[in-house]
Amino acid sequence: MSIINTNILSHKGQAHLWQAKSTVAVALERLSSGLRINHAKDDAAGAAIANRFSSQTRGLQQASRNAQDAISLSQTALGVLDSINERLQRIRELSVQGLSDNLNKQDKDTVQAEINQHLKEIDRLAEKTNFNGLKLLNGGANRISMQVGANDQQTLQLDLTGPGFSTDALGLAGFNIAGPPTTITERNQLTGVAQHIGLYDAATTLSADGVNLPLFYNPSVGYYASDGAEGFVRLNVAATHTTATDTSSVTITPAYDLFNPTLNAGSNDLPALNPNERLLEADGTFYIESRNADDSLSYREANTLLQYEEDWATGYDIDGNPYTYKVYPAQSSYAPSNPEMGSYTAVENDFTIAGIDYNLAAAANVSFVSDSGNSLPSAALVQANSTSEFYIQSGSGSDMRYQRVAAIEQTDRLRLDAVASATTLTGSETFVAVSDSFNFAGNDYALTAVDEVILNYPGAVLVEDTASGDLYLQAADNSYYALSNVSEEYDLALTAASQSFTGVDLASAVSVSSWATPATDFTAFANVEFSGADFSGLSNLTLVQRNDGLGQWVIRGEQADGSSAYFNANVDLEFDGQQQLSAVRADATQTTPLVLGATAQQQDRVSGYSEILIDTRNVSVNYTDLEGQTYTDVLRQSDDGNYFFQLPSSSTDFSGYKTATLVDLDSTGEVVIRTKNGGSEVVFYYPSNVSAGVNYSVTAITDADGFVDDGVAHTQLNIREMGEDFRLRQPPNPLAALDRAIGMVDAKRSYLGAMENRLSAAIDHNAGMVTNLSAAKSRIMDANYALETSRLAKAQIINQAAQSVLAQANAVPETVLALLNS
């Protein structure tokens, strides 16, 4: 059945023709491009996979180029390191030559000049070597990450970190072969003298707690202030000016009172007594016992004298130079009083010794004899009023002596007196001799109780008439005389002890081995005697003592203007035998006083120290070389911020300029002047004496308000080359240091060589990866020419057939119309 309105056959023919044309188009595109996948629609998964292969391939190719660049960088560094190594080898060769002492100082300087040129070239190479603007040998490049793979983390690290290969990094900074071995430290700070530091300036931090300002200054005592009473306080003034900030700090603290508030004399030993003397103490009083030429003893109260006499002592400064200064040493001496004569009362009547009563007046005879039995002249018995002891006083005037009563002998007697005429006897008397006791005139007597019987008829004996009891003296001629009287009497003989005394007797007092003047506070002692100067116009004279440890005594007086005048003085302190102060005398040793507290001595500025940062901003330097040439304003600052002294026209064997800096010798701490001479920078050193305390070569003066008082703080350094220039070997072991430096270069060269090998290996690896990835990608992307050709032939045949069939299908409606029209 034919359908006219819709040509179904035509539609089917057109569809098959379109499919054939599409197949032909695809085959032609693949054959023309050589690719199986020309569009994602051709093979979506394959296109994605192939694209990732492309990323890897391209990444690996770029990584290989990176590695080639890294090799070029490494080879650039290696070339420079080879040059540095050659220079280090030459330096080592020169060092071996220069370390030999067969070269004089000038020859060694010549060797050092060549070494310095090589060192400067090493510094230049280390600083200037770069690759594409990247510094390779100065330590600033750090670690360079080289991307040698197509993916993250596929890197190689090229280590170009510090310290680099400058002379400093190699340990050869300041390398010098001449002189003794040592190390040095750069110095950019000094301590100097600061003047004109304003106490009340805005740039000054003032701390003065507990100090009664205003501040005074006197050269003799330094800084001081009032103590708020009648004296003054010595002050510690710590003043520092910091040049880096142009600020000052002043701290004022009390050090000590200039004068003691109390007067104290310390205990002081007295000198030894003479051999013929000894010290005794009796009832709290001290005496000196002296043995006189006649062996008698005299006693004097042991008064003493403590003297502070101005004298000179010798001291030594830090350099051992002698200087003199005043001292007031304490000297003690004895000042005994006149001999103690004592007080005695003459004995005229009764007295008792050893419990026995005696009576001088009743004695028929009294005799005084020495212990040797000799009669004592002008002797008398006396009693000491102080002790009630009995003494025999003998002699007169200055020869008067006193001796204790050693013994008393009393001689008792009976005196028998008879009538003058013999008695006529009757012949009836009977006489018996009386040999013991008898009674006469009502009194009993005993002949045996007396030492002596005296008869007025010598040779007679006492007899008794037995009949009458009458007593007679029977004479030698047998005549009898009637006893007329019996009387009793006695004699006294006083014997003196062997020791005689000129006055009092203190021989039994306590002996003292030594004695010292007592420590005495005589602040309240009245009636001090002042002498030695004109004290008119001064009021309230007092004695004070300096508090500086020297014990200097001073007479102080108040002047009309309120200031105080001080006179140095010798002081004598007298003590009596009871160790009590009895007199104080102050004798001025100067006629012109020291005046403190005067208005003219008030200060609003102080001096101190300055902490100096050597900086061109506020520090200037004058430099005098060894030949006496002075260069002014020589301080300069280098590009790296360090200072140096520039002497452009200085005379040197190594061209016409030199520079200088200050350095510390680490071995001694001494600051020395280091000079670099000429283009070769040969280093000479000059001593500065800074560490010795006597600084002649470097002086630093800071004026806190400017040298012209313009209020602008400024510091002036004066530096002078003095003494003989010297060399210092640095480092102490130069050949070892060079070996270490060469070792550093060798290590880096070996490292870079090894890195080149690794980079080459990375390139080879990347090339293999690219080949394999390309093959994999080809299998996905490349067209199969045989397959695609057959597909094209097939599609072309189908296309031609489809066109023919479509023509036939399109002709069916016309056939139907033709039938209808017919």
Side-chain angles (χ1 to χ4, degrees), residues 33 97 169 181 213 231 238 245 278 294 314-315 329 335 340 348 394 449 457 484 488 537 578 605 615 686 708 715 740:
S33 65
Q97 178 187 11
L213 296 177
T245 58
R278 72 181 175 134
D294 62 355
T314 301
E340 296 289 329
E348 297 179 352
S394 62
Y457 293 102
S484 61
E488 295 177 309
Q578 289 80 35
R605 300 180 182 183
D615 187 346
Y686 296 91
V708 292
T715 298
R740 285 193 296 270

Side-chain angles (χ1 to χ4, degrees), residues 246-283:
D246 291 330
T247 58
S248 300
S249 171
V250 179
T251 301
I252 304 175
T253 55
Y256 55 86
D257 292 336
L258 285 176
F259 303 97
N260 289 324
T262 58
L263 302 179
N264 289 293
S267 175
N268 202 69
D269 292 336
L270 286 158
L273 291 170
N274 294 325
N276 65 326
E277 297 176 329
R278 72 181 175 134
L279 187 65
L280 302 175
E281 189 270 332
D283 299 327

Side-chain angles (χ1 to χ4, degrees), residues 605-659:
R605 300 180 182 183
V606 296
S607 296
Y609 296 97
S610 57
E611 298 295 336
I612 302 168
L613 176 66
I614 303 178
D615 187 346
T616 56
R617 182 181 63 86
N618 57 1
V619 177
S620 60
V621 177
N622 295 330
Y623 192 102
T624 303
D625 64 18
L626 200 60
E627 296 179 355
Q629 176 67 39
T630 298
Y631 304 87
T632 60
D633 193 22
V634 299
L635 181 60
R636 300 289 183 272
Q637 204 149 15
S638 60
D639 295 338
D640 59 5
N642 294 322
Y643 81 93
F644 64 96
F645 311 134
Q646 184 177 33
L647 288 72
S649 59
S650 178
S651 175
T652 172
D653 294 336
F654 301 94
S655 75
Y657 75 94
K658 70 177 177 180
T659 60

Side-chain angles (χ1 to χ4, degrees), residues 280-300:
L280 302 175
E281 189 270 332
D283 299 327
T285 301
F286 290 85
Y287 298 90
I288 294 176
E289 176 190 81
S290 298
R291 186 169 295 276
N292 301 318
D294 62 355
D295 207 37
S296 64
L297 298 179
S298 64
Y299 294 91
R300 295 174 292 172

